[in-house]
Amino acid sequence: MTTVAPPAPGLSAPTQETRWEEEVSAALLGGDPDALAAAYRRWGPLVHTLANRSLGDAREAEDVTQQVFLAVWRGRAGYRPARGPLAAWIVGITRRKIADALSARTRRGVLVAAAATVASERPAPCADPEAVLDRVLVAQALRGLTPVQRNLLCLAFYEDLTQSQIARRTGLPLGTVKSHVRRGLHRLRGCLGDAAPGVVPPPERAA
């Protein structure tokens, strides 16, 4: 991609900034990957700052930044320069990706809370379709636990057993059951927090 060198912020005339942005926009619409790299270098820090400010987590902000520029590349055919500058379009995508990240965070919190409640006490029967979906998603995350942790949490989650009943069923001391369940829930929280939607993390080896 042959473009005018990007002007230094605050030091160059607006016309040079505008000309550079127009050239990057045209190259991006033409499918030039160099244009995406140029856009990332120019607006990546802004995207990361907006994400970090909203999410309060640097790692999540990095993930959102990557998602934003992936969306820029994949959705470049939908960009219309006549409707506004490229920077504004990228900021719009950033806001949507931040909203998605916040929704995913809320969803993970609900799932972890549901798993913790089921593991500690017998839950009331529920036929709510969303509760059924929660069980499916938690079942995926359970695959990332050790065999002992997975077995104990499955007894709690799917057979609705209390920790005392699990101890009697397995022959393990109650204190051992509580310890495994506590560690399993901690690891389950990590699995649900780190896994991308629809991706099941690989099982870990038992300690």
Side-chain angles (χ1 to χ4, degrees), residues 82-106:
R83 297 180 182 177
L86 181 61
W89 184 62
I90 292 174
V91 169
I93 295 175
T94 301
R95 289 172 177 163
R96 291 193 294 274
K97 293 301 180 181
I98 289 172
D100 290 345
L102 290 171
S103 296
R105 178 188 290 179
T106 299

Side-chain angles (χ1 to χ4, degrees), residues 59-147:
R59 188 174 66 175
E60 280 192 278
E62 291 174 2
D63 290 341
V64 166
T65 301
Q66 293 177 5
Q67 292 171 22
V68 166
F69 285 94
L70 181 60
V72 167
W73 179 251
R74 289 177 173 173
R76 61 189 184 278
Y79 170 57
R80 298 291 182 268
R83 297 180 182 177
L86 181 61
W89 184 62
I90 292 174
V91 169
I93 295 175
T94 301
R95 289 172 177 163
R96 291 193 294 274
K97 293 301 180 181
I98 289 172
D100 290 345
L102 290 171
S103 296
R105 178 188 290 179
T106 299
R107 182 65 172 172
R108 290 195 300 268
V110 171
L111 292 176
V112 171
T117 299
V118 172
S120 59
E121 297 293 339
R122 180 193 300 271
C126 179
D128 189 330
E130 290 189 1
V132 175
L133 176 60
D134 287 350
R135 284 176 176 250
V136 172
L137 295 177
V138 171
Q140 290 182 334
L142 284 171
R143 299 177 189 176
L145 307 183
T146 65

Side-chain angles (χ1 to χ4, degrees), residues 145-154 172 176 180-181 183 206:
L145 307 183
T146 65
V148 173
Q149 292 166 348
R150 182 167 60 248
N151 181 51
L152 295 182
L153 287 179
C154 282
L172 295 173
T176 300
H180 278 301
V181 168
R183 289 197 298 267

